[in-house]
Structures are given as structure tokens and as C-alpha cells.
Amino acid sequence: MLDFFKNKRVLVTGHTGFKGTWLSKILINAGAEVTGYSLGLPTEPSLFEMAGLDAVNDIRGDIRDLNHLKKVFDECRPQIVFHLAAQPIVRESYKNPVYTYETNVMGTVNILECIRLTDCVRSSVIITTDKVYKNNE
């Protein structure tokens, strides 16, 4: 199954987060050419740094910035896109709902727009986790 990714150009948004780091590592091990797009390192220490993913083309940017994101798509020409970038902290979303909405909703719209405008993308996976946790309140 992982042979499918051999020599494929893959873009992973949110590649410096917990799931993005592990996904990038799996893809690299499967032989994919991985470009990561992320704001930065979300924690200190950073799992991404500890994982030693030097093979990832590490690009820092904001998925709310459609122009920069489109340039990245044009440069790396991904065949597969995994979109994990988000503002995932529920408490933070209560404190800053506009930023959360801009990132999680409009960021995804920007990803979809770049996919629409890029002829090399053959497959995409849009990942979310906000509805998988039980709300005890």
C-alpha cells in the first residue's frame, strides 16, 4: 500500500504538528517527495525537530494567505495534498473565534482553491478532528 507514495510529490499542510509530523515521516519512509506548509513549530520541544525530518521541504506560511499558498502549489506541483493545518485548540477558539474561523474554514477554502487551480493534483485528503471528542460540559 505504501508503495503507492513512492516518487509522488506530496504536500502536507500542518506538517509540524503532531499528526503532520508522523504523516510526513511515514510518507518520507514510503519514498514520497514531501513538501510541508505550516506556520511554525507548535510546541517546545518540537516533535517535528526531534523526528529529524530533514528530507521534508519545510515551508513556513499561513494558509489564510492564498497568494503565498498558490505560489507554493506552483513551485512544488503536488500530486497529493493532505490538509491538516488548523487552529485545533477548543479553548483558543472561544478566546479568538475570528482567527479560528479564518484558519479552519477559509484556510480550507484556500487549499481547495489551490487544488482547483493546480492541474497536477490528483488526490486530496482534508482532515479534521473537532467532532471526534466527547464534550463533557
Side-chain angles (χ1 to χ4, degrees), residues 133-137:
Y133 301 109
K134 182 179 179 182
N135 185 351
N136 291 323
E137 296 171 8

Side-chain angles (χ1 to χ4, degrees), residues 41-68:
L41 302 173
T43 60
E44 181 61 41
S46 162
L47 176 62
F48 180 76
E49 289 179 324
M50 289 188 292
L53 294 174
D54 297 331
V56 172
N57 178 18
D58 182 18
I59 298 174
R60 300 305 162 96
D62 190 328
I63 59 169
R64 298 176 301 161
D65 183 348
L66 178 59
N67 291 328
H68 183 246

